[in-house]
Amino acid sequence: MTVTTTVLSLEGVVKSYGEVPALRGVGLAVQAGELLTLLGPSGSGKTTLLKVIAGFEIADGGGVTLGGRDITTLPPNKRNIGMVFQNYALFPHMTVAENIAFPLSIRKISKAQAASDVEEALVLVGLAGYGNRFPKQLSGGQQQRVALARAVVFKPRLLLLDEPFGALDRKLREQMQLEVRRLQQRLGITTVFVTHDQEEALVLSDRIAVMSDGVIEQLGDPRAIYAAPVNRFVADFIGESNLMHARVNSEGDAAILDNGTALPLAAPFTAGSEVGVLLRPEAIGIRAQDSLEGLPGVVEEVVYLGSTLKYFVRLDNGLTLLVRGTFSSTGAVPGRGDRVRAAWSSSDLQVVRW
């Protein structure tokens, strides 16, 4: 039996800016050693929640506990929390070593111990030998590593990452994602990560808290969040989707779309319910026009993405579906204007709260 320890606990956290509520009674428990991502669009409350955890904002109501200690009103420098910002926030007049040593100096660590800790941190982030350089002499990825080393050098109880890869190009961002994940797992440091990038959250997280309008809509591991969204917002926000409004028929075994199309459901649902029907693009197969499977339609657009292709297929019943398939250089690829059939299994249809 696995025993988990709660490191960070939020209970009924409320925060408003004037008349505008930013957090509406948020509750959350972060376990020791896990990387939990706060994911949501702009204005969802994720950054405000991170600021409340860090101490840059004080909650109007509710409480924040770290390691069993109430830190709700403590100033940031008393919380033993490391933080990495999107803009790195390095001191330009200090060397790399001096930047990393800064949190040690304000904690009155001896110079000898600080020098040893800084060298260890540089090795940890792959920057051994860079201590005497200045931030302007480093690439964006190297500056990111310095900021990370500074955030963990004093062995904080909690690490906060505020959209740290936003300023990096795609290739470097993906590389840094994996590096940060490996480092976090190696140190076993409890981490809260903020992003609006769904793919980034799926790659990095042990668990994801999907936020909207100041509340957590769903909390779970990445697979569960993607495969079993609880409502329309999560279904539409996480990954690509075909999300269609429908009502369940009187027998409870089919969803009737707004255009009258009946989609059989794999499991019965409450008769008459207003629901969303979710069909992921990768669950749809493209069949030849003369196939007996699927619904007929025409390919309106084909988007080449290297290893995959995206098709936009307008069915004869009026629906337009996004379809994602694996690209094969040897197989026949339907083109724009081709007649095809779109097929899927009823078990791939997910019903969510509308």
Side-chain angles (χ1 to χ4, degrees), residues 91-101 130-135 146:
F91 299 112
H93 64 287
M94 291 184 179
T95 65
V96 166
E98 290 169 340
N99 266 281
I100 297 173
Y130 282 72
N132 292 325
R133 299 193 187 188
F134 287 88
V146 174

Side-chain angles (χ1 to χ4, degrees), residues 143-260:
Q143 290 183 42
Q144 182 67 268
R145 291 184 178 93
V146 174
L148 189 59
R150 184 180 60 184
V152 301
V153 69
F154 60 96
K155 299 177 175 57
R157 192 67 188 269
L158 180 69
L159 176 63
L160 304 180
L161 302 171
D162 185 14
E163 307 227 27
F165 311 125
L168 305 178
D169 62 65
R170 182 177 179 86
K171 185 175 182 180
L172 184 54
R173 184 166 69 243
E174 291 175 351
Q175 178 185 337
M176 286 302 300
Q177 287 170 5
L178 295 177
E179 288 189 19
V180 166
R181 183 57 166 150
R182 292 189 192 108
L183 178 62
Q184 185 266 334
Q185 291 177 325
R186 178 178 173 182
L187 295 175
I189 187 170
T190 307
T191 302
V192 177
F193 179 83
V194 164
T195 185
H196 64 275
D197 188 316
Q198 305 96 316
E199 184 176 322
E200 191 166 79
L202 293 172
V203 168
L204 281 170
S205 312
D206 291 308
R207 289 191 299 158
I208 299 172
V210 183
M211 296 191 67
S212 172
D213 198 25
V215 301
I216 294 176
E217 298 281 356
Q218 186 171 357
L219 175 65
D221 66 73
R223 185 181 294 273
I225 294 286
Y226 183 82
V230 296
N231 59 28
R232 171 177 55 168
F233 174 81
V234 179
D236 190 45
F237 188 72
I238 300 293
E240 294 181 311
S241 62
N242 295 289
L243 186 60
M244 300 159 281
H245 178 263
R247 285 193 179 276
V248 179
N249 65 358
S250 57
E251 289 77 27
D253 60 359
I256 310 301
L257 303 183
D258 291 343
N259 68 353

